[in-house]
Amino acid sequence: MSKFEDFLAQKGALLADGATGTNLFDMGLVSGDAPELWNVDEPVKIKALYKSFVDAGSDIILTNTFGCNRHRLKLHNAQSRVKELNIAAVELAKDVIAESGRDVLIGGSIGPTGELFQPLGALSYEEGVEAFREQIEGLVDGGVDVLWVETMSAIEEMKAAAEAAQDFDLPLVITASFDTAGKTMMGLSPKGLGDLQDQFACTPVAIGSNCGVGASDLLAAIMEITEAYPDAVVVAKANCGIPQIKGDEVVYTGTPELMADYARMALDAGARIVGGCCGTSPSHLKAMRLALDDYKKGVRPTLDQVISEIGPLVSPPNKEADAARAAEGESAGSGRRRGRRRG
């Protein structure tokens, strides 16, 4: 049994961390810059981010490596620094955990390549596997506890990440962003992600959803997964409420109280790992930690109850679009969008 699985068995449910990007923006990161470069250029700030999550009570913190693959880093002329930046991110996390005196898991964050796979784009499947393998090598050399593939949309990109992960003796987590009428941008449904579990070269120990749109939408997604696969270990990592544009900024509406309610409802819906994505600050996490401590899983909520307590769906299922897609014979995994940044 891996450290991740042992930790989960001991605690029953785990609290993950919060947003990376939005919290780093508050520390001075400028839109368009690569936060991964801060692993070397601004290590004090990255350690402060990690420490804020650990102090808030997170059982798992994810490394600042979401876009730390050769294809994203080439936008900043840093494609030759993949391993260096991944290793640095993990070492900073290890330092923070050692200083805390707590036992906290390190998840190696692996986001999309940022490229379209063939035939919609130029990136071949084999090139995708190699890019993920290169990043994973850095994360493993640094000493992560679990490989955490997140914010995915396309089936072939998830498969490429899983194929790269099979070469390493670490558990794998895969989460997707269901942000388009209840599906990923490339048409994959939450149940469809569950259906893929046995098709990955490396079977994930946990699946689920992160980012997307509102917290209610994410709860609806994980409820679809847990209904179809009640024995799966499911991750719920929702945005902090609903994003709203105010001037030049994107502001998230979720209060600590709302995120606490979301955390409890996520457990009731069948999630075993709960955290926050875009907009989720340490203060939100503290409220979520208090909400989860000593909480006993309740009755599975209905979608109406989710909407009543957490808020309306931002991107409700679109049956007309599904019918049109089916009529046109489109494949759910035929390509992918350029992935967003986590948090």
Side-chain angles (χ1 to χ4, degrees), residues 34-313:
E36 293 78 15
L37 295 178
W38 275 24
N39 296 334
V40 172
D41 298 341
E42 297 281 1
V44 173
K45 291 182 179 179
I46 298 304
K47 287 185 69 173
L49 175 71
Y50 292 156
K51 184 176 185 299
S52 71
F53 294 151
V54 171
D55 290 348
S58 292
D59 299 306
I60 306 169
I61 60 171
L62 303 187
T63 53
N64 179 41
T65 54
F66 179 83
C68 213
N69 64 71
R70 64 177 69 166
H71 298 289
R72 283 184 176 270
L73 289 176
K74 72 183 177 184
L75 301 175
H76 308 277
N77 197 31
Q79 63 269 30
S80 64
R81 301 177 64 187
V82 172
K83 290 187 180 179
E84 172 201 358
L85 294 171
N86 278 281
I87 291 171
V90 183
E91 290 180 341
L92 293 174
K94 288 165 65 176
D95 288 346
V96 167
I97 292 169
E99 292 165 3
S100 75
R102 291 184 56 217
D103 194 7
V104 179
L105 297 171
I106 300 175
S109 174
I110 302 166
T113 60
E115 300 289 339
L116 286 169
F117 276 48
Q118 294 175 352
L120 294 185
L123 189 68
S124 71
Y125 179 83
E126 292 74 19
E127 289 170 329
V129 172
E130 183 54 36
F132 285 125
R133 184 181 291 115
E134 180 182 35
Q135 180 179 6
I136 292 171
E137 285 175 354
L139 293 170
V140 171
D141 288 349
V144 295
D145 299 304
V146 57
L147 302 174
W148 198 284
V149 176
E150 58 177 339
T151 325
M152 287 288 163
S153 177
I155 292 173
E156 73 274 15
E157 188 152 37
M158 298 180 211
K159 288 186 173 180
E163 184 167 328
Q166 73 175 334
D167 297 332
F168 304 89
D169 188 24
L170 280 177
L172 172 69
V173 172
I174 298 179
T175 65
S177 178
F178 302 102
D179 53 8
T180 308
K183 297 185 177 183
T184 71
M185 185 67 74
M186 303 313 301
L188 180 67
S189 69
K191 180 182 179 298
L193 175 60
D195 294 342
L196 288 171
Q197 292 176 91
D198 295 332
Q199 299 180 35
F200 293 124
C202 177
T203 303
V205 296
I207 58 173
S209 179
N210 77 291
C211 203
V213 281
S216 294
D217 296 72
L218 185 132
L219 287 170
I222 67 161
M223 287 168 64
E224 184 176 327
I225 296 173
T226 56
E227 181 178 17
Y229 293 93
D231 295 329
V233 176
V234 174
V235 178
K237 214 164 183 288
N239 287 345
C240 186
I242 298 172
Q244 294 183 346
I245 298 176
K246 294 186 177 180
D248 295 332
E249 297 183 341
V250 177
V251 178
Y252 290 84
T253 61
T255 62
E257 292 76 17
L258 181 138
M259 293 303 283
D261 290 340
Y262 143 77
R264 287 187 287 260
M265 192 163 279
L267 285 191
D268 292 345
R272 296 278 305 280
I273 302 168
V274 182
C277 206
C278 300
T280 308
S281 71
S283 63
H284 293 102
L285 282 175
K286 287 179 183 178
M288 293 165 69
R289 176 79 275 168
L290 291 173
L292 295 180
D293 284 345
D294 300 320
Y295 180 70
K296 303 299 181 183
K297 182 179 176 181
V299 176
R300 180 181 175 86
T302 65
L303 184 56
D304 286 342
Q305 289 172 324
V306 168
I307 293 171
S308 174
E309 295 188 31
I310 307 301
L313 297 178

Side-chain angles (χ1 to χ4, degrees), residues 322-334:
D322 289 347
R325 184 183 293 111
E328 294 170 7
E330 294 179 1
S331 168
S334 61

